[in-house]
Structures are given as C-alpha cells and as structure tokens.
C-alpha cells in the first residue's frame, strides 16, 4: 500500500514564464500604442505614470485608446501580430506534448486579455496551465478595463503584483492537491522577476534572458554573496530553454 501511494506522488517539472520580453519579444503594453491614430500617446498621459503603479497607468491608456474610437477587434488584430521570441513556440509545443511530466504557468504584469489573445494566435494556449496576470475585459463602451491582480505586503514589488507570492501560493495549492515538483524552472527578463527567484530551492533553476536587467541583477547579487539557492542559467532564445528542459526531464527519469 505504501509503495502504491508513493507511485501516485510522481513529481513533475514546473515551468514558470514571464510574458513580455520573454515569451514574446516585445512589451505588449507598449505594443498596443500602435493602434492609436498617431501611434503615440500625448505627453500629459505619458507623464501621468507613477512608479510602481503601471497597471493604473495602463488603465488610463486603455481609456484614451477607446476615446480615439479604436475598437476591440482592431486592438486584438494588432496584439496578435506581436512576435514571439525565437524558439518559444517550439518550446511551448514540446511542453504541451509532455503535459504528464511538465506543468506550465505564466506570471506577468501584462493582462489576461492580451496574453489570451496572443497565445491563441500562436496556437500554444493548450500548453499553459494557468495565466496569473492583471484581469482585463471589454466593457460596455468597447473599452479595455484592467485591474490589479492582487494586493500584497511586499515592499519590493509593484502594488499590483508580487510574483513571489503568486509562485508560492500556486505551489502551496498544488501541494494541497497532491502535485509536487522536483524542479521549478523560472524564465524571465526583468527586475520584477527577481523576487520569486529568491524562494527557489537548490534543485530549481533561474533562467534570466541574456543582456536584460534580471541577468545583471542576478550577477550583482551573486557577486555580493547573497544566498540565492537556485542554479542560474542565462538564455537568449527558446531553443536553449528547451534543451535545458530536456536535460531536466532526463535527470528526473533517473530517480
């Protein structure tokens, strides 16, 4: 009986992805500005941004876009033209083909509407088990509305989202449901991806995009002998991440 229970507790790999400048090769929140008549924002709107309150700023941007009579279909068409980072489509298709061994979530400061549209256009929505991002919808006027993902007490993160809390809460819920992970592989590019990396374990992997702020921050942290437990493996395209995932899977087969 004990051995059969152990067999049911098979551990999986968890792939965690940021979205902007990670799965896609642009920032979706700035890409959407291309649908405005002038393909730019007025200075008063750009100057309204307050540090740490990007989601609130984007709410004002979406209202402005709606006031320019830009319809949701036009926004969707533009968003679905955003380019995926090289190799990411193939990586996500591999993950889908190996769902019995790999879970995949997106943790992003973008919004659920953009992410859903873009994943659908890429034909890879089926690879993703959960999207944790700022909730967005189309209101009765045809304007996009966006809300903060959650409230939190982390002083280092933007007010709308602490990615460490998102990751920790997700792992706790999975553990309660009997799903455990031998390896968490966190893939990102920005400084807001640093907070969740701090709670990764020795068996986990942090994968910062080469040349972006997360890689520089991790290098600085390691040089200061800060206690990061996870192995750090930088990447420049999805093929490199796919190769690393295959290594993780092969190692898991040995146990």
């Amino acid at each position: 009986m004990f051995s059969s229970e152990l067999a049911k507790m098979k551990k999986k790999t968890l792939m965690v992805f940021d979205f902007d400048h990670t799965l896609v090769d642009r920032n979706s929140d700035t890409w959407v500005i291309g649908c405005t008549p002038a393909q730019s924002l007025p200075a008063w709107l750009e100057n309204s941004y307050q540090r740490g309150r990007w989601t609130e700023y984007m709410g004002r941007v979406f209202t402005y876009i709606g006031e320019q009579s830009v319809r949701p279909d036009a926004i969707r068409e533009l968003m679905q033209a955003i380019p995926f980072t090289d190799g990411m489509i193939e990586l996500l298709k591999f993950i889908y083909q190996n769902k019995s061994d790999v879970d995949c979530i997106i943790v992003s400061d973008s919004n659920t509407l953009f992410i859903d549209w873009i994943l659908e256009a890429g034909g890879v929505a089926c690879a993703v088990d959960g999207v944790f991002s700022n909730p967005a919808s189309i209101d009765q006027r045809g304007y996009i509305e966006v809300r903060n993902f959650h409230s939190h007490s982390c002083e280092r993160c933007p007010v709308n989202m602490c990615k460490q809390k998102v990751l920790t809460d997700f792992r706790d819920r999975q553990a309660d449901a009997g799903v455990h992970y031998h390896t968490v592989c966190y893939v990102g590019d920005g400084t807001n991806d640093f907070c969740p990396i701090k709670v990764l374990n020795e068996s986990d992997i942090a994968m910062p995009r080469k040349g972006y702020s997360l890689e520089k921050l991790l290098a600085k942290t390691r040089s200061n002998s800060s206690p990061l437990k996870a192995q750090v493996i930088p990447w420049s395209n999805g093929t490199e991440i796919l190769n690393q995932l295959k290594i993780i899977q092969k190692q898991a087969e040995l146990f």
Side-chain angles (χ1 to χ4, degrees):
M1 182 70 169
F2 182 67
S3 60
S4 64
E5 288 299 316
L6 284 177
K8 293 179 182 179
M9 291 176 60
K10 175 184 176 183
K11 292 186 176 182
K12 306 176 73 174
T13 301
L14 175 62
M15 297 296 299
V16 185
F17 291 97
D18 175 48
F19 193 70
D20 295 329
H21 291 298
T22 297
L23 284 177
V24 294
D25 207 19
R26 300 290 190 276
N27 183 320
S28 57
D29 280 342
T30 56
W31 183 265
V32 73
I33 296 170
C35 73
T36 64
Q39 298 188 351
S40 62
L41 299 176
W44 65 263
L45 181 51
E46 290 185 336
N47 294 336
S48 73
Y49 168 67
Q50 294 177 302
R51 183 179 176 85
R53 296 185 175 274
W54 180 262
T55 303
E56 296 170 25
Y57 167 73
M58 286 307 302
R60 294 190 292 274
V61 171
F62 292 145
T63 297
Y64 173 79
I65 289 173
E67 290 172 346
Q68 308 312 301
S69 300
V70 180
R71 304 305 300 166
D73 287 348
I75 300 173
R76 180 172 186 158
E77 182 178 357
L78 175 73
M79 297 313 300
Q80 293 188 324
I82 196 169
F84 278 81
T85 303
D86 289 345
M88 288 299 184
I89 293 286
E90 292 76 13
L91 170 59
L92 290 170
K93 287 182 177 179
F94 177 87
I95 290 172
Y96 174 68
Q97 293 164 358
N98 292 270
K99 292 308 295 177
S100 62
D101 299 308
V102 185
D103 285 346
C104 173
I105 63 173
I106 293 172
V107 184
S108 169
D109 262 334
S110 180
N111 67 75
T112 56
L113 202 59
F114 286 180
I115 294 173
D116 289 347
W117 284 346
I118 294 165
L119 292 177
E120 177 188 321
V124 289
C126 54
V128 179
D129 299 292
V131 174
F132 301 92
S133 188
N134 303 299
S137 59
I138 307 296
D139 69 15
Q140 294 180 343
R141 301 169 297 173
Y143 295 9
I144 294 177
E145 288 187 333
V146 63
R147 305 184 306 279
N148 288 348
F149 177 76
H150 62 190
S151 59
H152 60 83
S153 58
C154 180
E155 296 180 355
R156 297 175 299 272
C157 289
V159 297
N160 64 292
M161 175 180 283
C162 171
K163 293 188 176 186
Q164 180 184 124
K165 179 172 173 56
V166 175
L167 176 57
T168 300
D169 288 352
F170 177 80
R171 288 198 296 189
D172 289 346
R173 288 193 301 272
Q174 291 292 88
D176 289 342
V179 180
H180 301 272
Y181 300 106
H182 57 76
T183 304
V184 176
C185 184
Y186 191 101
V187 185
D189 72 281
T191 55
N192 63 350
D193 294 310
F194 179 69
C195 198
I197 286 173
K198 293 195 297 184
V199 295
L200 297 181
N201 299 314
E202 290 87 349
S203 59
D204 300 329
I205 300 173
M207 298 196 73
R209 188 172 185 178
K210 293 178 181 177
Y212 284 70
S213 54
L214 178 60
E215 182 192 27
K216 298 171 185 175
L217 180 56
L218 288 173
K220 181 180 179 181
T221 301
R222 295 168 76 189
S223 66
N224 291 338
S225 301
S226 183
L228 283 178
K229 297 179 180 179
Q231 182 181 3
V232 177
I233 302 177
W235 63 277
S236 59
N237 57 62
T239 303
E240 294 174 355
I241 302 169
L242 175 56
N243 290 338
Q244 185 59 49
L245 176 56
K246 290 178 178 179
I247 291 172
I248 294 171
Q249 295 308 101
K250 286 183 180 179
Q251 291 174 340
E253 291 173 359
L254 301 177
F255 295 96

